[in-house]
Amino acid sequence: MSFTSRVRVIFQRNKQTFINLKGLLLGNPTLDRMVELDNEDAFKVAHAIIPQKFMDDYVNYGQGSSHSQCFDAMSNIEDQMKNMDTYNILAPVCKNATLTSEPKKDTTIMVYDPCNEYYVSAYLNNETVQKQIHVKPTNLPYVWQSCNHTLSSFWSEEDKEGILVPLLHKIMGQSVRIIVYSGDLDLAVPVTGTIQVIKNRAV
């Protein structure tokens, strides 16, 4: 069930006093995906991820210019983005996920290892580990992954591309307070997009 669907269920049950909902705290929420996508470029330029010239070339060459010019403009941008974590633009990225039998030195909860997700995946796909945590054998033709793209492919277009703002207005109309906050390092849901959605729809 998507976040939007869950909120709808909670809101409906709140009327039945099943859940005494007083407020919602939404961190980096996808409020209107199209508006947020339109504002990714502004985020990239504002954070000096992409030079303004590269972005100008991309915009100009995408409007009736030759295919090669457009391709070059896109390649310049992709080159700037290839070693970046879109969920935290300042975080290091994993460049070598080679697994070892011993833990890496100096890796603690305070020292971030960008390859952690690969270690976790390898650990949870280990037959001995699965036996110890009582995972039932499934004989599936694929390994365990932290994100199940097989399931996400069955999500409805309404849930994937739906605009959340009307639902938020409906909830606020029932005296439920909502705080929307957006981090300044997340390109997946850029703060520039969140601000624009709030302005457009008077949240």
Side-chain angles (χ1 to χ4, degrees):
M1 184 183 292
S2 71
F3 169 77
T4 305
S5 299
R6 287 175 180 169
V7 172
R8 286 198 183 101
V9 170
I10 292 173
F11 178 66
Q12 291 164 358
R13 291 181 177 177
N14 188 46
K15 294 180 179 178
Q16 304 166 9
T17 67
F18 183 81
I19 297 176
N20 188 19
L21 186 64
K22 295 295 185 182
L24 288 174
L25 185 64
L26 307 179
N28 286 37
T30 299
L31 300 175
D32 185 332
R33 193 62 190 138
M34 295 308 297
V35 173
E36 288 153 0
L37 286 172
D38 287 343
N39 279 272
E40 281 187 4
D41 291 345
F43 181 95
K44 294 172 187 175
V45 172
H47 288 75
I49 299 171
I50 302 296
Q52 183 68 57
K53 183 183 185 307
F54 285 5
M55 196 57 66
D56 291 342
D57 288 346
Y58 174 69
V59 172
N60 295 332
Y61 294 149
Q63 300 177 355
S65 299
S66 70
H67 176 74
S68 62
Q69 288 177 312
C70 184
F71 179 81
D72 289 344
M74 291 178 63
S75 295
N76 286 336
I77 291 176
E78 289 171 358
D79 286 344
Q80 296 289 311
M81 300 289 298
K82 64 183 178 183
N83 291 319
M84 179 168 294
D85 182 344
T86 57
Y87 297 101
N88 182 350
I89 61 173
L90 298 184
V93 295
C94 181
K95 295 183 178 179
N96 182 6
T98 303
L99 300 177
T100 61
S101 58
E102 298 294 329
K104 288 191 173 182
K105 293 182 179 180
D106 302 322
T107 299
T108 68
I109 194 171
M110 299 301 292
V111 180
Y112 175 67
D113 184 343
C115 299
N116 274 341
E117 63 178 292
Y118 296 99
Y119 309 148
V120 172
S121 179
Y123 178 76
L124 292 178
N125 278 296
N126 183 286
E127 186 176 344
T128 302
V129 172
Q130 291 179 346
K131 183 177 180 180
Q132 291 298 317
I133 61 177
H134 308 292
V135 174
K136 295 179 181 179
T138 59
N139 298 318
L140 293 175
Y142 50 84
V143 298
W144 178 89
Q145 295 176 318
S146 59
C147 289
N148 191 326
H149 298 292
T150 303
L151 289 179
S152 64
S153 65
F154 292 104
W155 291 356
S156 70
E157 290 301 316
E158 179 184 1
D159 277 344
K160 286 194 290 186
E161 304 296 339
I163 299 173
L164 190 59
V165 177
L167 178 60
L168 299 186
H169 278 297
K170 185 176 181 181
I171 294 173
M172 289 188 291
Q174 297 296 317
S175 300
V176 176
R177 302 178 69 186
I178 297 175
I179 294 178
V180 175
Y181 67 92
S182 187
D184 195 32
L185 302 178
D186 185 1
L187 178 55
V189 184
V191 63
T192 48
T194 303
I195 292 171
Q196 193 60 53
V197 172
I198 290 173
K199 283 182 178 180
N200 291 352
R201 296 185 173 268
V203 177

